[in-house]
Amino acid sequence: MEWSEELSTNIPSIDRQHRVILGYINDLHDGIERGEIKGILDGILDGLFNYTRVHFAYEEKLFKRCGYEHEADHLKVHERMLGKVRDFRDRYKHGEKEIGPELLEFLKDWLYHHILEDDMAYSEFMISKGIE
């Protein structure tokens, strides 16, 4: 997956974080393509889970600072996403080693929908509050 302006929230700090998440997705894709998924999946799952928590905490801090009226709905989206990534990580750690392709499809779909729907919904509001 490549970054495109279509994915930009026009909030540089958020876009930088989305690019990091995109990097995890691309690392997963590359590992699958090279047949090296077993050697990298543990690190990708842990890194993705931890970084996604950091990203969501950052967004949530901005919501509070700016008084974003749809904060509660967006937090539910964050909780569902973290739960899904946690589930993938737990499945892998409990012996389900062939989850790479399923995880990749989930992440690609989630990234596009989360940015294009959920994050774009707050973009103009945050920009109007001076968030960069």
Side-chain angles (χ1 to χ4, degrees), residues 31-43:
I32 290 170
E33 289 290 308
R34 290 189 312 266
E36 299 172 357
I37 190 65
K38 291 178 183 167
I40 63 169
L41 194 52
D42 197 42

Side-chain angles (χ1 to χ4, degrees), residues 25 48 80-85 88 100-113:
I25 294 170
L48 181 66
R80 281 192 304 272
M81 171 57 180
L82 283 175
K84 270 304 254 186
V85 174
F88 275 107
E102 180 187 353
L103 175 62
L104 180 62
E105 287 310 308
F106 166 74
L107 290 172
K108 288 187 331 188
D109 183 62
W110 172 78
L111 184 70
Y112 272 111
H113 288 291

Side-chain angles (χ1 to χ4, degrees), residues 2 30 33 36 38 74 77 83 114 124-125:
E2 290 187 33
D30 293 347
E33 289 290 308
E36 299 172 357
K38 291 178 183 167
H74 205 100
V77 171
H114 180 67
E124 285 186 34
F125 175 78

Side-chain angles (χ1 to χ4, degrees), residues 19-38:
R19 283 185 176 108
V20 171
I21 295 169
L22 182 65
Y24 281 108
I25 294 170
N26 286 332
D27 290 346
L28 177 60
H29 175 267
D30 293 347
I32 290 170
E33 289 290 308
R34 290 189 312 266
E36 299 172 357
I37 190 65
K38 291 178 183 167

Side-chain angles (χ1 to χ4, degrees), residues 25-82:
I25 294 170
N26 286 332
D27 290 346
L28 177 60
H29 175 267
D30 293 347
I32 290 170
E33 289 290 308
R34 290 189 312 266
E36 299 172 357
I37 190 65
K38 291 178 183 167
I40 63 169
L41 194 52
D42 197 42
I44 287 174
L45 283 164
D46 285 340
L48 181 66
F49 180 75
N50 292 328
Y51 192 79
T52 301
R53 286 180 32 205
V54 167
H55 169 64
F56 288 166
Y58 179 75
E59 282 187 348
E60 292 164 14
K61 180 179 82 174
L62 295 179
F63 295 160
K64 288 193 184 323
R65 183 186 321 161
C66 296
Y68 182 54
E69 66 180 321
H70 301 289
E71 175 184 6
D73 292 333
H74 205 100
L75 294 181
K76 289 176 187 172
V77 171
H78 287 177
E79 289 171 16
R80 281 192 304 272
M81 171 57 180
L82 283 175

